[in-house]
Amino acid sequence: MDRYRDWMAEALALAGEAAAVGDVPVGAVVAGPDGAILGRGRNARESGHDPTAHAEIVAIREAAAALGGWRLDGCTLVVTLEPCVMCAGAALQSRLARIVFGAWDEKAGAVGGRLDVVREAGLPHGVEVVAGIEEAASRSLLRAFFDARR
């Protein structure tokens, strides 16, 4: 769990960077089987004018580039907010071993919240899910961001 918290601290810092440029504060890292961070991402939908620029996608792309291939076998995605359907699908497609996240997303979460895409019966590849790591800190960033816009 300490390893997850260390990785989450980096994801939280990235989420703060996203908020600073007007994007929803979500940050993500992909750690390799040895624990080294291979990819980092923060939401960039607004700043990058890209609907697919979720923190998870950015981090997965960076990790794949670092490894020189699309298979992220044995890797862990750590993200401040429960992944959506697109990001859960990307986790499956990249063969991630696990997803660790902070806050649940009751509206769009797809790894156990509203839906459970990664543990759907019959899929050829399963993904372990660890929820609630630094949940209060993740939720606090989101709440502050949206409160400032209301």
Side-chain angles (χ1 to χ4, degrees), residues 61-126:
R61 287 178 179 156
E62 191 173 295
L67 291 175
W70 62 270
R71 292 179 192 270
L72 302 180
D73 295 316
C75 293
T76 300
L77 171 66
V78 180
V79 60
T80 58
L81 180 64
E82 179 185 3
C84 69
V85 171
M86 175 180 68
C87 296
L92 286 169
Q93 292 299 315
S94 62
R95 308 298 194 265
L96 284 164
R98 102 191 22 82
I99 297 170
V100 175
F101 70 88
W104 291 93
D105 184 348
E106 295 84 18
K107 293 180 183 178
V111 296
R114 184 163 176 78
L115 302 169
D116 198 350
V117 172
V118 298
R119 293 178 285 201
E120 182 68 26
L123 291 174
H125 172 72

Side-chain angles (χ1 to χ4, degrees), residues 2 5 10 33 54 58 66 68 75 77 82 121-122 130 136 139 144 148 150:
D2 286 340
R5 291 189 197 295
E10 181 131 5
H54 289 202
V58 175
C75 293
L77 171 66
E82 179 185 3
V130 179
R139 188 161 308 289
R150 291 187 180 123

Side-chain angles (χ1 to χ4, degrees), residues 15 30 42 68 103 119:
V30 173
R42 63 173 175 79
R119 293 178 285 201

Side-chain angles (χ1 to χ4, degrees), residues 14-34:
L14 290 161
E17 290 176 16
V21 297
D23 273 292
V24 175
V26 178
V29 299
V30 173
D34 65 354

Side-chain angles (χ1 to χ4, degrees), residues 33-56:
D34 65 354
I37 293 179
L38 302 171
R40 292 169 175 80
R42 63 173 175 79
N43 268 2
R45 292 189 316 165
E46 300 296 333
S47 59
H49 313 290
D50 180 354
T52 68
H54 289 202
E56 300 95 312

